[in-house]
Structure formats: structure tokens, C-alpha cells
Amino acid sequence: MKRFYFVLLILSSANAFAQKNTMRAEVAKKAAGIEQKVIAWRRDFHEHPELGNEELRTSEIITKHLQSLGMIVTAGVAKTGVIGLLQGGKPGPVVALRADMDGLPVTERVKLPFASKVKTTYNGQETGIMHACGHDSHMAILMGVAEVLASMKKDIPGTIKFIFQPAEEGVQSGELSGAELMVKENVLKNPAVEVIFGLHINSQTPVGNISYRPGGIMAAVNDMKITVRGRQAHGAYPWSSIDPVVISAQIINNLQTIVSRNLNVTENAGVVTIGSIQGGIRSNIIPEKVEMLGTVRNLSKEDEAMFIDRIKTIVTKTAEAGGATAEVKIPFSYHYPVTFNDPALTAKMLPSLKATAGADHVRLKPAVTGGEDFSFYQEKIPGLFIFLGGMPKGQDPLKAPSHHTPDFFIDESGFVLGVNALSNLALDYMTMKK
């Protein structure tokens, strides 16, 4: 009897393997067939970018596309988000695939026929709007995945939830990020999602490659506001003041010792950056107050707690030593958890990535100190977040324009791999569960 079950197990595994290969081949054929559509969608989104929670035109295009594929579509989720539900022809788990939608307040410098010319006022300043982080690519790729998988509906063993999410790049103070609000509005329920997959295009990874990392792959993010209060005086008589400018300079320097002296740099990276300092209106007036804005990045909850504790101590005690007072608000307006790839899920899906891109084109990558609100989904369910190469072949990664810059550029020939990767992650997971 044991031998019978062993043979049955081998036959079952062989059938599952054959089924996966057949479905991957079908996905590859269909993905190649819509490659130009994916590129056209991306170019349209790129030319007409919208900031977070303002993605009205974008949302309408996505909604119409998903409806045309026969999905159950819900728009207006988390303000401007769109959810498409594809119910397969066979029973199985619910898998979610996610793309973010928003652009950035960046004025484009790339000379493209579809370059953005959209202008806006952001934080009181005139600026352009640009998809300077690749979210246009993410949406186009996921729209392609939706079209591929909808055409295979009868063979899909489960349900796929397509999540098009607004406001990944941050929101105004007091608001929730797009992912956090979507989770709050039960996007992972009704039906309950078992796992979630997402990708991010990368302008400094060669096209045709996928990179991944189990565990913490992107940092937790806390923004902070520091207010230092002293005593105002004439600039000619500094001894009459308690100078918040000098004390702020000391605070900035002292904060850097957290990374150099408190963080075990052999285990994880960490960042403390002050990006804005405002104080005073004249060269000969020592102001009463200085305000600073900064960002803090960590790759573990333990490091995050330590950083916050040390920041508060350093800021308040440095100010106190100079006779001033200081207040720290951290997080000030937003917080993203660590983007944490479930190790078991990552190991399970690694063969899928290698079968899709080729083993030589799937690379383990170091963690990065950028942040992603995909982490809010991963706090609730296992998730895997990967990076897709978007740098032209032969280019020096050190010279490739980075994300969030006016010169950001993506090679569109890598999109078809993104369509294949997300499609296969969903199908292979459901096949394994079956």
C-alpha cells in the first residue's frame, strides 16, 4: 500500500510539473502577443501622470480595461483605487497581484515623444508631474497580466484579485497611504486573500533580470519633525541669545552617530537623514526657532525602535546642553513598515522565477533603504515583492539615472518579462496548492 501511494505521489508531482510547463508556455505566447499593448498603455500613463489620490483619469482607464475582460470590478477603493476579481474555472486559493498608480512632483527632462508636460502646484511650489519611479510601468504590466490570465480563466485553479493602488509615494499629514487605507477598507477580504505578489521596475538593474531577497528587502520608513526653541537676539550679540541654529547643527551631526556607533552595521543598514532645515529671515537676526524635517530608515523592528529612542534622546539632550528645548515628532506624517518577503513563500516561488527568467537572470539582491507601502499587505498575509530590470543592456548602473529624478528612464523591452513573472507566480502558486 505504501508503494502504491508513493507511485501515486510521483505521478501527481509529474502531472503538476507538466501542467505548470504547459501553462507557462501559454502565458509566454500570450504575453508576447500583447507586448506592444503593454508598452502603449505605459506611454499613455507616462504622458498623463497624476499625483497620489488624484489618479482619476488613470483609474477610469484601468476600470474600463478590467470590465472589458469580464471581471468583477470595484472602483473608488481607498479614494481612487481599482480592484478586479478574476474567478477561475476551477476551485483554489485567492491570490492578489498589486500595482501602484501615482506619479511624483518631478519635472521631466527626458526627451521622449510621450514625456510628461503636466504641471501642478505642490506644497506651494510650481512643479511638473512625472512617473519618475516607474508606476506607469507597473500598471501597464498588471493590465497585461489581467488580459493574459482572463483569457485562461477556465483553466485557473483559484481566484486572482488585481489591486491597482493609489498614493504609494506618500500622502498629506494625517492621511493613510494607499496600501494602508486599502487594507483598512478590507481589500484582502471578501474573498480572503491567501498570498500577495508585487514587483517594482528598477532603472539600475539590467533589463531581462529579476532580483529578490527573503526577509527584509526594503526599509521601514518614518518621517520626523524636530523643533528647536532658543532665545532670539541680534546677530551682532550672540551672547544674548540661545542660538537654535548652532544647536540644530550639533543635533544634525550627533544624529549621525546612531548609524556609526549604535547600529550593528554587520547585520542591517540604517539611515538618518535631515532633508530640510528652516529658521530665521535675516542674516543679522538669530531666530527663536528652527524646524527640521528628516527621514529614518531601518530593516528590522528592533533597529527601528532603537533609532527612535536614540533620536529622541540625542535631540532633547543636545538642545538641553545648549540651554534650548527641542521636540521630536516621529513619525510626523507617515510610517511604512519593513517590506518583508515571507521566507517560506520566497523559497517556494523561487523556482517559478527561475523557470520564467532563466536561473542566470534571477539574482539575490542586498536590502535597500528605500521604502514601499506594499509592506502593509505583508503585515497581514505572506507576500513576495521582487525587482524587475529596466536598465538598457550595456549601461553602467552607476551612471543610470536613479528613481525620483528628472532623468529617470526605463527600457520597455523588459515589460514582457514582468507580465510573465507575475502571471506565473499566481498560476504556479495555485497549482502547488492544488
Side-chain angles (χ1 to χ4, degrees):
M1 185 63 73
K2 287 183 179 180
R3 184 177 178 182
F4 169 77
Y5 283 119
F6 181 69
V7 171
L8 188 63
L9 179 62
I10 292 175
L11 291 174
S12 177
S13 298
N15 288 336
F17 182 78
Q19 183 182 3
K20 284 182 187 178
N21 282 341
T22 300
M23 296 184 85
R24 286 192 196 120
E26 187 174 355
V27 165
K29 181 179 179 180
K30 292 177 180 292
I34 64 166
E35 180 178 11
Q36 293 308 310
K37 290 178 70 173
V38 172
I39 290 172
W41 288 326
R42 182 261 172 163
R43 292 184 177 185
D44 181 68
F45 289 139
H46 190 88
E47 190 172 358
H48 303 94
E50 296 171 301
L51 295 176
N53 292 331
E54 298 176 7
E55 307 96 329
L56 298 175
R57 178 186 183 274
T58 304
S59 175
E60 184 178 0
I61 291 170
I62 293 168
T63 298
K64 288 180 178 178
H65 177 63
L66 298 183
Q67 287 174 337
S68 74
L69 300 175
M71 292 190 193
I72 301 170
V73 181
T74 307
V77 182
K79 299 186 178 179
T80 55
V82 183
I83 306 300
L85 198 65
L86 178 64
Q87 296 174 319
K90 302 175 183 179
V94 181
V95 175
L97 302 174
R98 174 269 204 172
D100 37 16
M101 302 163 62
D102 51 330
L104 286 158
V106 174
T107 303
E108 184 159 13
R109 265 197 312 244
V110 187
K111 303 301 181 184
L112 295 170
F114 53 91
S116 169
K117 297 178 178 62
V118 181
K119 305 291 182 184
T120 191
T121 300
Y122 186 82
N123 282 344
Q125 298 184 42
E126 293 295 320
T127 181
I129 304 178
M130 177 188 176
H131 271 296
C133 200
H135 296 187
D136 51 347
S137 308
H138 304 164
M139 291 183 287
I141 287 169
L142 192 55
M143 287 171 69
V145 173
E147 185 157 331
V148 168
L149 295 183
S151 70
M152 301 170 62
K153 177 178 178 178
K154 64 180 178 60
D155 297 319
I156 294 177
T159 298
I160 303 172
K161 186 175 284 190
F162 293 87
I163 300 174
F164 290 86
Q165 175 215 305
E168 187 279 328
E169 295 290 359
V171 292
Q172 298 298 316
S173 179
E175 296 183 331
L176 300 180
S177 82
E180 188 175 9
L181 185 55
M182 280 200 146
V183 169
K184 189 174 182 179
E185 293 187 5
N186 296 321
V187 71
L188 299 179
K189 299 178 180 178
N190 306 316
V193 177
E194 192 167 301
V195 295
I196 185 166
F197 300 111
L199 62 72
H200 204 300
I201 198 89
N202 187 266
S203 67
Q204 294 163 314
T205 298
V207 70
N209 291 280
I210 290 172
S211 57
Y212 74 99
R213 184 176 188 81
I217 188 171
M218 299 186 75
V221 181
N222 285 283
D223 70 337
M224 65 178 170
K225 181 178 181 180
I226 299 171
T227 304
V228 181
R229 291 183 171 85
R231 184 167 63 235
Q232 188 162 323
H234 194 296
Y237 312 107
W239 50 86
S240 299
S241 75
I242 296 175
D243 191 339
V245 176
V246 171
I247 291 169
S248 295
Q250 293 169 341
I251 287 172
I252 292 170
N253 284 332
N254 290 345
L255 287 175
Q256 304 313 307
T257 64
I258 300 174
V259 174
S260 65
R261 290 297 176 268
N262 301 131
L263 178 67
N264 185 341
V265 295
T266 65
E267 294 180 351
N268 279 323
V271 173
V272 180
T273 293
I274 299 297
S276 172
I277 177 167
Q278 303 288 330
I281 57 173
R282 276 182 65 105
S283 62
N284 64 345
I285 300 175
I286 295 172
E288 183 177 55
K289 181 177 72 173
V290 170
E291 291 183 341
M292 293 177 278
L293 298 175
T295 187
V296 182
R297 310 291 175 113
N298 301 103
L299 287 161
S300 75
K301 290 182 178 180
E302 294 75 19
D303 287 343
E304 182 180 24
M306 182 270 287
F307 268 51
I308 291 173
D309 180 67
R310 292 294 295 137
I311 287 168
K312 290 179 178 179
T313 299
I314 287 171
V315 169
T316 56
K317 296 303 180 182
T318 302
E320 185 181 321
T325 60
E327 178 186 19
V328 183
K329 293 182 179 178
I330 180 170
F332 171 55
S333 62
Y334 63 89
H335 165 258
Y336 291 179
V338 175
T339 305
F340 187 87
N341 285 334
D342 181 89
L345 178 64
T346 305
K348 181 183 290 186
M349 303 315 301
L350 188 55
S352 179
L353 295 177
K354 290 182 177 180
T356 301
D360 293 340
H361 297 284
V362 178
R363 305 172 181 179
L364 179 68
K365 75 177 276 85
V368 298
T369 48
E372 242 288 349
D373 72 353
F374 189 82
S375 53
F376 285 105
Y377 305 117
Q378 293 173 311
E379 281 194 318
K380 302 297 182 182
I381 59 174
L384 174 60
F385 194 72
I386 60 174
F387 285 89
L388 176 70
M391 184 184 75
K393 292 180 179 179
Q395 188 170 3
D396 183 351
L398 297 178
K399 295 180 180 178
S402 65
H403 294 238
H404 290 218
T405 68
D407 303 307
F408 175 78
F409 177 81
I410 287 298
D411 185 337
E412 297 169 330
S413 68
F415 293 175
V416 69
L417 176 58
V419 174
N420 276 288
L422 283 183
S423 299
N424 289 336
L425 283 171
L427 293 174
D428 288 349
Y429 180 85
M430 289 189 287
T431 302
M432 282 187 275
K433 289 291 292 186
K434 183 182 177 184

